[in-house]
Amino acid sequence: MSTRSSPKVGILIGSDSDLEVMSEAEKRLDYFGIPYETRVLSAHRTPHETQKYAESAAERGLDAIIVGAGAAAHLAGVVAAHTTLPVIGVPIDSSSLKGLDALLATVQMPGGVPVATMAIGTAGAANAGIFAAEILGRKDPKIAAKLVQFKQEMTAGVLDKDKKLQSERQKR
Ligand code: RP5
């Protein structure tokens, strides 16, 4: 999905060490059939390339940008400063502060420059993919229908676990 069609979502990671966590976002975009690209770009190590990426994202056809970064995680905020596309931030638990640093750096944006900040780590990465699908689903009925299916599958999965637990407990 990431290489065949022209991307609708950009995933930026501050380092290739963020890829394992952010693959949870990729998996969700694959599930919803949304083409994406994943790039390693850093607010601090590649500031000019990051700015260029953010400034050209809308004209290249992207509808949202997911950004995963850890530690002094300024990447999502810098991207948001250079685009009017929705930016979804994922704080990565890659430092000795276990993502709390990245959470605060990502969520505490000044008024006027929003970053939709998800939970720290893999749950946040998964939710970033789903949140991007919810944005794109407003204009794409196939994604909207898949979102309904996703919720139904999630509900069925939990009810199934409950059923198994109840039947195990009855055998005691
Ligand atoms: C951040 O620093 C990255 O997003 C990563 O989470 C963390 C560590 O990066 P590396 O030193 O592994 O490249 O900028």
Side-chain angles (χ1 to χ4, degrees):
M1 179 61 65
S2 61
T3 49
R4 280 193 292 273
S5 331
S6 64
K8 288 282 160 206
V9 173
I11 299 178
L12 295 191
I13 49 179
S15 169
D16 59 351
S17 61
D18 299 324
L19 188 55
E20 192 180 337
V21 171
M22 292 307 291
S23 69
E24 294 299 323
E26 292 181 325
K27 280 184 215 164
R28 298 319 181 284
L29 295 175
D30 283 334
Y31 172 91
F32 290 109
I34 296 170
Y36 58 86
E37 62 184 10
T38 304
R39 299 280 310 274
V40 182
L41 285 172
S42 163
H44 309 116
R45 293 163 174 164
T46 64
H48 301 300
E49 290 76 5
T50 298
Q51 179 175 349
K52 263 201 273 179
Y53 182 89
E55 283 174 347
S56 65
E59 70 199 32
R60 288 197 306 109
L62 297 186
D63 289 322
I65 304 175
I66 296 172
V67 181
H74 300 132
L75 186 57
V78 166
V79 169
H82 292 290
T83 183
T84 54
L85 292 176
V87 175
I88 306 165
V90 182
I92 307 285
D93 41 342
S94 57
S95 76
S96 46
L97 296 184
K98 301 190 188 329
L100 191 56
D101 43 1
L103 172 66
L104 296 177
T106 305
V107 78
Q108 285 290 72
M109 288 298 292
V113 191
V115 168
T117 305
M118 304 290 115
I120 296 169
T122 52
N127 281 346
I130 299 163
F131 195 69
E134 289 176 345
I135 293 169
L136 272 63
R138 301 311 302 154
K139 292 277 163 62
D140 184 327
K142 272 193 195 158
I143 298 172
K146 198 88 176 134
L147 279 160
V148 173
Q149 183 191 327
F150 171 75
K151 289 261 191 223
Q152 287 167 345
E153 286 172 1
M154 190 166 52
T155 302
V158 172
L159 293 179
D160 194 42
K161 283 177 191 163
D162 181 52
K163 205 170 153 186
K164 276 184 195 142
L165 179 66
Q166 299 318 312
S167 93
E168 278 165 22
R169 291 290 154 97
Q170 274 170 6
K171 286 179 203 154
R172 281 182 175 182

